[in-house]
Amino acid sequence: MGGNFTESCVYNILSAVTFVYDLVTLPLYYIIQQPWKVIERSERKKGELISGDNNQVTYKSLLPIRSEHALVVRENADTLEKVFNLVAKTHANKNCLGTREILSEEEERQSDGKVLKKYQMGEYRWRTFNETNYEADCFGKGMRELGVQPRDRVAIFAETRAEWMIAAQGFFKHACGIATIYATLGEDGIVYAINQTEVSVIVTSHDLLPKLKNVIKDLPKVKTIVYFEDQLYKTNIDGLESVKVLPYKEVVEMGKKSKIENTPPSKKDLAILMYTSGSTGVPKGVLISHGNLLGTMKGFLDFFDVTSNDVFLGLLPLAHCYELLAECSAMLAGVPIGYSTPLTLIDSSPKIMKGCIGDARVLKPTVMTSVPLLLDRIVKGIRDKVNSGPAIRRALFGFCYKYKNKWMQKGYSTPIVDAIVFKKVAAIIGGKMRAMISGGAPLSPETHNTIRICLCVNMRQGFGCTETTAGGPVMDTEDMSVGRSGCPATTSHVRLVNWEEGNYYVTNRPNPQGELIIGGENVTDGYFKMPEETKAAFFEEDGRRWFKTGDVAEIHKDGSIKIIDRKKDLVKLQHGEYLSLGRIESELKTCQVVENICIYAESTKTYCIALVQPSEKGLSDLAASIGIKESFEQLCRNKEVIKAVTKCIADYGKRRGLNKFEIPTKISLCEDLWTPDSGLVTAAFKIKRKEILEKYKNDIKRLYD
C-alpha cells in the first residue's frame, strides 16, 4: 500500500514539473528537432506496386542505392572473395577483427556457497584488415597443402569468433563450399549434417572437439580435423587417432610456406551449404552461391547505415548467413568487429569474475545484430531490475518511459530524460550502442518499443529465410513504426498470393494479405539432395527466382510488410475459430513468468493448451507472492503455482489483445531446459514443435483429458 502511495506521489510531482518544462521548452524543441519532418520521413512511401490482380500483388523497393552498394557493383565484386580483397585494399591498416584476451580462469565462491569457474579478462587484441586478409590467405593455402582441392566441400563447426571468419575467407579464396554447422547442434544433428554433406575436413574449436570425439566413429568420410586453439589450455586430442588432427596456427604456418596459387570462385560457385533451423522435421541443407550472398549483401548495404567510426559487436552464430553478411557489410564500410559470447557479454554474465567487466563495456560497440529471443531477455532483465528496486525508482522509471514514448511518437527526441534515466540502462551494453537490427523471427511490438526507449537505439527488424540467403523486407532507417518487417529490399521483390484456407486474400481491406513470396538474386538454388522439396518451394518466373516462405503477410500503404501468420501454424478449433500458434507464442513469450512457450490445439477441442518453460526468477517471484517457497522443480509441479501461472498468462494475454479462445485454458510447466543441445529448440532458439510435442505427449494427453 505504501509503495503504491509513494509511486502515485512521485508520478504526480513529475507530471507537474514536466508540464511546466514542456510549456517552456516545446517551441525550442520544435524549431531544433523539426518533428514534422521526422514523421514525414517515417511515413513516406518505401515500396510500390508493380503488378497485381485478384490472386496476387508484387511490390518493389523505393529505397535509394547507397554508396557501398554502388562500390560493389562498380568494382564487379560479385563474390565474397572479391569483396574481402576490396575491403583489405580499402581499409588496409585499420582494426578489423578483435578478440578479448582471457588472462586466467579462477574459482570464485558464490553467495550460496557454490564454487564456479570464472574468467579474469584483459583488453581486446586486434588484427588489421591487411593482417586478417594475409592470415586468411595463409590458412587457405595451408588447407590446400593438407589435400583440400578447389571447389571441395568442407565443414566449419565452431562458435562465432575471429578465426571462424578468417577460415571462411581462406576457403573462399579457393572456391571451396562451406557446410556451416551450428556450435549448439546436438550429436545426432552433427552426424546427420556431416555425413549428408560428405565432407572429409572439419574445422572446429577446442571447446567443441569433445563432441566430435563422441561421434567420430559415426563419421566414416572424415579424414582431417583442424581446431581453433584455446587461450589458456592445451587441447587434448586423445580418442581421435583415426583422423589427422592439427591446430589452426599450424595450418596457417604451413600456408606461409606454400607456393600454391589461389583459385577464386565465380558467382555461381557454392559458397555455403547451410542447414535450415529445422523447426519442423529433418533439417534441410540450402545451397547458397556467392551470387546469392551478394544479392542479399547489396540489399543490406542500402539499409545498414554504418560508418568507419562505428564498432560492431559480433555475437550471433556466423554459421548463419544473416550474421556472416552483416559482418561482411560492416567490414566493407571499414567497421571493426569485436567478438563476444553470451557467457562474457555483460558484467553479470556467467563467466565474468567479480570485479571484472563484461565485453560490451570494454568494446563499447555502436551497432549489432540480434534475434527476438535475446531482445526479449534484455527487456525482462530491465523489468526485473526496475521492479526489484524501491518505489521511488519504479515510479521515476515508469513515468520517464511513458513520457519518452509519448514524445517519440510525435517525432521528438528526449535528451534530458535519456541522460538522467535511460543512458544508465544503455550502459549495460557499453553505453554507445546506436543501432540494432533484429532478424530470425518477428519481433513483438512491445519488445521493439522497449529496446528503442530504454537502450536509446534505432531498433529495426527485417525478415528473411535461409532459402533467401537471409534477404527480404527490412525496415528503413527512418521508420518509426513497430511490429513490421519493413519494405522490400533493393535487390528483391515481394509478392503476396491468396491463401484461401486461411481467408487471406490480396483483395482484403484495408491491406492486401496473402502468403509471402520473395524473388530476386538472393533466392537460392534450393535444397541439397532434395529435388522434390526444392520443386515444391521454388520456381522461376520472368528470369527471376522465387521462394514460397509459408509465412502470411499484409502490405501497408507505405509499402511495408507485416508478418501476421504462418500457414503451418494454423489450427481450426471445433467451433470454427482459427488459431495462429506462432502468433500466440510471440505474444505470450514476453510474459515475465515465461522463458519459452509452445501452444498446442486439437481440432476436436474448443480450447488450446500451453507447454511452458518457465523463467526461474519469474516463477519464484510469482510463487513467493502467494506464499510458496520451494525449489524450481517443486514449483513446476505445485498445483497452486500452476494455477497462478495459468491466471498470470491469461491476464497477460488479455492485455496483449488475444481473444478468449486464443488464451491457453490449461498449461504444463516444463522443468527441462529448452536448449539446442536438448533438441527442443533450434540453434536460433525457435521451438521445434514436433520434438516438443513428442517429448511432452503424456502432459498433453493429461491436459486434454
Side-chain angles (χ1 to χ4, degrees), residues 386-444:
V386 172
N387 292 336
S388 64
I392 291 178
R393 189 169 75 182
R394 291 198 302 270
L396 175 64
F397 186 89
F399 179 87
C400 290
Y401 184 99
K402 291 178 181 177
Y403 179 85
K404 179 176 179 178
N405 188 46
K406 178 184 74 172
W407 288 108
M408 191 172 68
Q409 300 306 318
K410 295 178 180 180
Y412 290 91
S413 59
T414 55
I416 304 299
V417 171
D418 287 347
I420 294 173
V421 178
F422 296 116
K423 287 297 184 184
K424 295 176 182 177
V425 181
I428 295 171
I429 52 173
K432 300 289 186 181
M433 190 68 68
R434 65 171 191 83
M436 298 174 73
I437 300 158
S438 177
L443 183 64
S444 77

Side-chain angles (χ1 to χ4, degrees), residues 532-658:
E532 292 304 314
E533 287 84 348
T534 298
K535 185 177 179 181
F538 297 83
F539 65 94
E540 302 271 349
E541 183 180 291
D542 299 330
R544 187 179 293 269
R545 190 161 176 79
W546 297 82
F547 173 69
K548 304 172 186 176
T549 67
D551 287 277
V552 179
E554 65 181 24
I555 295 185
H556 295 170
K557 63 181 181 179
D558 67 343
S560 290
I561 302 290
K562 181 178 181 180
I563 305 298
I564 58 174
D565 214 331
R566 179 153 179 82
K567 290 173 70 173
K568 291 181 181 177
D569 286 348
L570 206 63
V571 177
K572 189 176 184 180
L573 294 180
Q574 190 179 51
H575 290 162
E577 302 98 338
Y578 277 100
L579 288 182
S580 173
L581 306 181
R583 187 180 75 83
I584 299 170
E585 288 158 357
S586 178
E587 295 292 348
L588 295 182
K589 71 180 180 180
T590 53
C591 179
Q592 285 290 93
V593 77
V594 175
E595 186 69 25
N596 214 334
I597 187 168
C598 177
I599 300 294
Y600 177 75
E602 292 182 0
S603 297
T604 58
K605 306 295 182 181
T606 59
Y607 61 93
C608 65
I609 63 174
L611 300 166
V612 178
Q613 182 203 352
S615 159
E616 192 160 345
K617 185 180 187 310
L619 187 65
S620 61
D621 288 348
L622 180 62
S625 73
I626 57 174
I628 300 175
K629 291 187 177 181
E630 296 177 338
S631 70
F632 177 71
E633 290 76 14
Q634 289 171 321
L635 291 177
C636 287
R637 301 170 200 153
N638 188 299
K639 292 183 179 180
E640 289 302 310
V641 173
I642 294 171
K643 184 178 178 181
V645 172
T646 305
K647 184 178 186 305
C648 178
I649 290 174
D651 291 342
Y652 188 79
K654 291 174 186 174
R655 293 198 301 273
R656 299 292 294 168
L658 294 180

Side-chain angles (χ1 to χ4, degrees), residues 227-479:
Y227 64 88
F228 303 138
E229 301 91 331
D230 185 78
Q231 290 194 43
L232 299 177
Y233 302 109
K234 184 177 179 181
T235 303
N236 179 5
I237 61 173
D238 293 344
L240 290 168
E241 290 79 12
S242 62
V243 296
K244 189 171 188 175
V245 183
L246 298 95
Y248 167 83
K249 289 178 182 175
E250 185 176 323
V251 176
V252 172
E253 289 302 315
M254 290 169 58
K256 289 179 181 178
K257 303 169 187 174
S258 177
K259 303 297 182 183
I260 295 174
E261 294 292 324
N262 291 346
T263 308
S266 71
K267 69 178 185 178
K268 292 185 178 181
D269 278 324
L270 176 70
I272 295 175
L273 176 51
M274 183 185 154
Y275 280 82
T276 58
S277 298
S279 55
T280 56
V282 176
K284 303 183 184 78
V286 179
L287 299 159
I288 303 175
S289 70
H290 281 273
N292 296 146
L293 290 168
L294 264 294
T296 291
M297 185 176 176
K298 287 182 289 188
F300 273 19
L301 293 171
D302 291 329
F303 78 88
F304 203 38
D305 56 333
V306 293
T307 71
S308 58
N309 295 321
D310 281 307
V311 177
F312 189 100
L313 175 65
L315 184 67
L316 295 186
L318 275 167
H320 198 291
C321 49
Y322 167 45
E323 178 70 10
L324 176 65
L325 287 172
E327 292 189 17
C328 288
S329 299
M331 286 192 288
L332 192 65
V335 176
I337 298 168
Y339 289 100
S340 179
T341 75
L343 298 177
T344 59
L345 179 61
I346 60 176
D347 297 0
S348 59
S349 291
K351 291 294 285 187
I352 294 293
M353 182 172 287
K354 193 173 183 179
C356 186
I357 62 177
D359 298 338
R361 286 182 60 200
V362 176
L363 184 66
K364 299 191 184 317
T366 61
V367 291
M368 67 176 289
T369 53
S370 188
V371 291
L373 182 72
L374 176 59
L375 297 174
D376 289 338
R377 287 178 175 174
I378 291 174
V379 168
K380 286 181 181 178
I382 293 171
R383 284 183 191 154
D384 289 343
K385 185 82 172 176
V386 172
N387 292 336
S388 64
I392 291 178
R393 189 169 75 182
R394 291 198 302 270
L396 175 64
F397 186 89
F399 179 87
C400 290
Y401 184 99
K402 291 178 181 177
Y403 179 85
K404 179 176 179 178
N405 188 46
K406 178 184 74 172
W407 288 108
M408 191 172 68
Q409 300 306 318
K410 295 178 180 180
Y412 290 91
S413 59
T414 55
I416 304 299
V417 171
D418 287 347
I420 294 173
V421 178
F422 296 116
K423 287 297 184 184
K424 295 176 182 177
V425 181
I428 295 171
I429 52 173
K432 300 289 186 181
M433 190 68 68
R434 65 171 191 83
M436 298 174 73
I437 300 158
S438 177
L443 183 64
S444 77
E446 182 184 23
T447 296
H448 193 155
N449 210 40
T450 302
I451 293 292
R452 186 179 281 172
I453 290 172
C454 296
L455 299 185
C456 306
V457 299
N458 181 354
M459 179 74 242
R460 287 173 285 148
Q461 65 170 315
F463 173 91
C465 318
T466 306
E467 292 89 343
T468 63
T469 322
V474 63
M475 288 184 73
D476 174 49
T477 57
E478 295 172 314
D479 189 344

Side-chain angles (χ1 to χ4, degrees), residues 29-195:
Y29 279 127
Y30 186 81
I31 294 170
I32 294 174
Q33 296 186 3
Q34 300 182 331
W36 69 93
K37 291 186 178 179
V38 175
I39 299 296
E40 285 175 3
R41 290 195 296 267
S42 175
E43 295 179 351
R44 79 189 193 282
K45 199 167 185 180
K46 308 168 190 73
E48 68 174 355
L49 178 71
I50 57 174
S51 67
D53 53 35
N54 288 336
N55 295 311
Q56 62 183 38
V57 289
T58 304
Y59 282 69
K60 74 171 185 178
S61 177
L62 289 176
L63 295 183
I65 301 297
R66 294 169 64 94
S67 58
E68 289 84 6
H69 182 161
L71 175 66
V72 167
V73 174
R74 187 169 61 248
E75 295 291 332
N76 192 32
D78 56 1
T79 68
L80 280 193
E81 186 265 347
K82 288 181 182 178
V83 167
F84 203 67
N85 288 338
L86 177 62
V87 161
K89 182 177 70 173
T90 306
H91 304 294
N93 296 313
K94 279 199 65 179
N95 284 344
C96 180
L97 304 181
T99 301
R100 186 137 183 232
E101 188 177 15
I102 301 174
L103 302 175
S104 63
E105 186 178 43
E106 302 172 21
E107 291 186 345
E108 180 181 276
R109 186 172 295 278
Q110 308 303 297
S111 57
D112 60 1
K114 291 181 180 179
V115 176
L116 302 177
K117 289 190 174 182
K118 305 267 187 169
Y119 287 146
Q120 185 68 39
M121 303 191 75
E123 298 298 315
Y124 269 86
R125 299 286 178 256
W126 292 91
R127 295 170 172 91
T128 67
F129 280 89
N130 267 343
E131 288 168 344
T132 302
N133 192 38
Y134 176 65
E135 193 170 322
D137 193 66
C138 293
F139 179 80
K141 290 179 177 178
M143 294 305 300
R144 289 290 307 277
E145 293 289 344
L146 290 172
V148 173
Q149 297 299 311
R151 295 180 175 81
D152 276 358
R153 284 195 301 270
V154 295
I156 299 184
F157 171 56
E159 65 279 4
T160 293
R161 54 192 289 167
E163 291 83 2
W164 199 112
M165 176 65 79
I166 293 168
Q169 298 294 346
F171 283 127
F172 291 152
K173 289 176 183 291
H174 298 272
C176 292
I178 302 168
T180 59
I181 301 171
Y182 282 108
T184 51
L185 205 61
E187 290 181 2
D188 290 344
I190 295 168
V191 171
Y192 176 85
I194 291 175
N195 283 338

Side-chain angles (χ1 to χ4, degrees), residues 47 221 400 687 692:
K221 291 186 180 294
C400 290
I687 62 168
I692 290 174

